Amino acid sequence: MSASLSRNRVGVWLIGARGSVATTVVAGCAAVAAGLHPPTAMVTETPLFADCGLPPLASLVFGGHDTVDCPLPKRAEQLAAGGVLAHGLPAAVAGELEAADAEIRPGGPAPADTRDPDEVIAGFAADISDFVRRGGLDRAVVVNVASTEPTATGDALPPSSLYAAAALRAGCPYVNFTPSTGLHHPALAEAAANSGLPYAGRDGKTGQTLLRSVLGPMFAQRALAVRAWSGTNLLGGGDGAALADPAAAAAKNAGKERVLADTLGGTPQGEVHIDDVPALGDWKTAWDHVAFDGFLGTRMVLQTIWQGCDSALAAPLVLDLARLTARAHERGHTGPLTDLAFYFKDPLGDAPSSLADQHTALSRFAERLRDPSPGAAGGPAEVRGC
């Protein structure tokens, strides 16, 4: 486990706290902290982040909001039955799952909720602040891992933006691991800019787009002309059901398209299709077909198949982001954390889309977190209610 300069407990407040990703985050953190499993896929546990002062996994305390009432221990048992969690793991970390479940508060807003948006935000913010206060936490990071919502239209704040606004009001850094609007809503731009808080997002890069961020630069660097790039995603679970909505799928695909446009210098022909296959559960298959021209116009094709478990791919990234954002807050970073683009399909700010370039930026970020010189990250952060 990476060395840390901090010995305080850090909260991780999950939006969608009883979903598959959140359950895997809580169970996985407990398992790795206890030495039951190695920290596979956690970049923050590699030598790159040694002595960066990241909060230890054992110091993380979980809570969150959700609109469902299935307890985390039961959800973990379901994931184990589906092969997502190892057999016996839910029982081994039952205490940690129960403790996190006790900190989950009702989400919303529910259809019958008569509160205005400001009242909803205030209620969510009070839940987060109470979590920090009762737990005696040094700070907390709010991470959205809820199902994808359709792209926001009009002036009304969608649920993801209500939660994001609540994070700001509670004085907590915010990470949007989904393609949902969150802090991207124009109505929150001023509040985010004036908050003095770090934030990161959006849409975690776990599978198909991860491959595209590696393969796209390869074609460009080898001067190969990509004529068409098409893709299909088959997935089940809550994400599959949510993305069956064409509006939600469009929000998801925007980040995939951005990677190709940025790395290839233009958008090739072809589209990405997302199909809901409930029988797949938390497993997904992503297929890509790339048609390209080589020397003397020779036409060639590259095809890739990615088969993986979405929750197991996402959970280590969520833990990385929570630790990195908490440390950035401690070091006084404010505004969008563009150096965390490595983790996202549609990263904030003017960030590169190539995974190699993003990893270079992440490495520089690690150095800044490690730098002990005064003012290396803008001075110590003011803890404002979080």
Side-chain angles (χ1 to χ4, degrees), residues 20 23-32 34 36-37 70-101:
S20 296
T23 305
T24 308
V25 166
V26 176
C29 182
V32 174
L36 301 178
H37 286 268
C70 178
L72 282 181
K74 182 177 181 180
R75 183 69 187 118
E77 291 172 0
Q78 294 170 348
L79 292 176
V84 178
L85 299 180
H87 177 72
L89 182 59
V93 298
E96 290 87 345
L97 290 167
E98 291 169 358
D101 194 70

Side-chain angles (χ1 to χ4, degrees), residues 25-51:
V25 166
V26 176
C29 182
V32 174
L36 301 178
H37 286 268
T40 305
M42 289 193 64
V43 180
T44 53
E45 287 293 304
T46 65
L48 175 63
F49 286 97
D51 302 318

Side-chain angles (χ1 to χ4, degrees), residues 1 20 39 67 126 177 183 198-199 209 217 265 345 385:
M1 194 172 296
S20 296
T67 57
F177 199 74
L183 282 181
Y199 47 90
T209 309
K345 294 184 182 73

